[in-house]
Amino acid sequence: MPGTLRQVAELGYRSVETAGTHGRTAAEFRTVLDDLGLRATSGHADLDGGVDALIEDARALGNRQVVVPHAVFDTADGWRAFADELNEAGRKCRAAGLRFGYHNHDHEFAPVDGVLPYDVLRERTDRRFVHFELDLYWAVHAGQDVLALIDAERDRIRQLHVKDRALDGEMADPGTGTMDFPAIFAHARSAWEYIVEHDQPTDPLRTAGVGFDYLRAVRW
């Protein structure tokens, strides 16, 4: 892990989003980041261990944003109860000086009991406490118009996962696929962070490099 992060830093990155600490405590992971001149400005974390533990780890890592990366429920009531959990966690995070959000995949745009889970989350969560980290690939993959999604929740879409989509529907490195990122970014000017991502890269460090170079050069 330290060697991978060293190569990420050598590519030019100065901030990362964490997804676990890979067998280390949050404090130990932070030491590795500090040694390499990296900041974990955002982190993925679930609610299973409790909000207090989530906040403690986020502070140790230096996170400014904490994001729940995934949830699945087979009823609309399940999604409504989850939205209430997000509100409570968001209140606690805000009191601790952290921003709190939720990250989508594609299943949030498939109807459950006649409603879209994404709409349940939009309508039931409190915009003061819960923002959205919009995964652009998964939204497009689900058939959504991401410009319309951003327009509908302009002040709540604060982080973007920048992941491209090839002609065959597979994931692609940023800037190598079909997504019109300049148009998307122009709509999302209130976003705090643009995060390079690829769920299943064949060469992760190459993807990181391509994504860094693309975001550094793209204009909108």
Side-chain angles (χ1 to χ4, degrees):
M1 182 273 286
T4 298
L5 287 175
R6 182 175 297 107
Q7 292 177 82
V8 167
E10 289 170 353
L11 288 170
Y13 285 95
R14 293 296 174 261
S15 63
V16 295
E17 181 177 59
T18 55
T21 55
H22 303 272
R24 290 164 172 79
T25 67
E28 290 168 343
F29 197 96
R30 172 69 179 273
T31 297
V32 175
L33 293 171
D34 287 348
D35 288 346
L36 296 169
L38 291 170
R39 298 180 62 202
T41 53
S42 181
H44 278 190
D46 60 44
L47 300 175
D48 293 344
V51 180
D52 292 340
L54 178 153
I55 290 171
E56 182 179 350
D57 282 351
R59 282 174 163 169
L61 287 165
N63 296 155
R64 294 195 304 251
Q65 286 81 238
V66 182
V67 181
V68 174
H70 184 265
V72 144
F73 302 95
D74 57 8
T75 67
D77 283 343
W79 282 103
R80 293 185 186 104
F82 176 63
D84 294 341
E85 286 186 65
L86 294 179
N87 281 330
E88 182 60 24
R91 287 188 188 94
K92 290 184 175 181
C93 283
R94 180 170 178 175
L98 297 167
R99 300 175 179 119
F100 181 77
Y102 179 76
H103 165 275
N104 67 279
H105 288 81
D106 56 348
H107 62 271
E108 290 91 346
F109 300 102
V112 175
D113 292 339
V115 297
L116 297 184
Y118 191 79
D119 287 342
V120 172
L121 297 180
R122 283 198 316 113
E123 294 163 8
R124 198 171 179 96
T125 55
D126 190 323
R127 65 184 58 246
R128 295 174 298 171
F129 307 126
V130 182
H131 71 265
F132 292 110
E133 181 178 67
L134 182 62
D135 188 302
L136 297 171
Y137 169 86
W138 284 119
V140 170
H141 197 67
Q144 297 297 303
D145 180 342
V146 294
L147 302 186
L149 290 177
I150 293 168
D151 282 341
E153 294 291 336
R154 181 173 298 279
D155 63 334
R156 298 186 75 188
I157 294 175
R158 297 299 196 178
Q159 297 171 279
L160 299 176
H161 270 189
V162 182
K163 182 189 318 178
D164 218 332
R165 189 172 188 269
L167 284 171
D168 62 1
E170 295 299 312
M171 295 177 190
D173 294 344
T176 68
T178 63
M179 308 265 288
D180 186 353
F181 288 121
I184 294 168
F185 296 161
H187 264 63
R189 290 184 180 275
S190 62
W192 291 314
E193 291 186 321
Y194 299 75
I195 301 165
V196 173
E197 192 190 38
H198 193 309
D199 294 13
Q200 298 175 326
T202 57
D203 185 341
L205 285 168
R206 182 181 184 281
T207 291
V210 169
F212 180 86
D213 289 342
Y214 178 74
L215 285 182
R216 183 171 57 178
V218 68
R219 297 291 181 267
W220 64 91

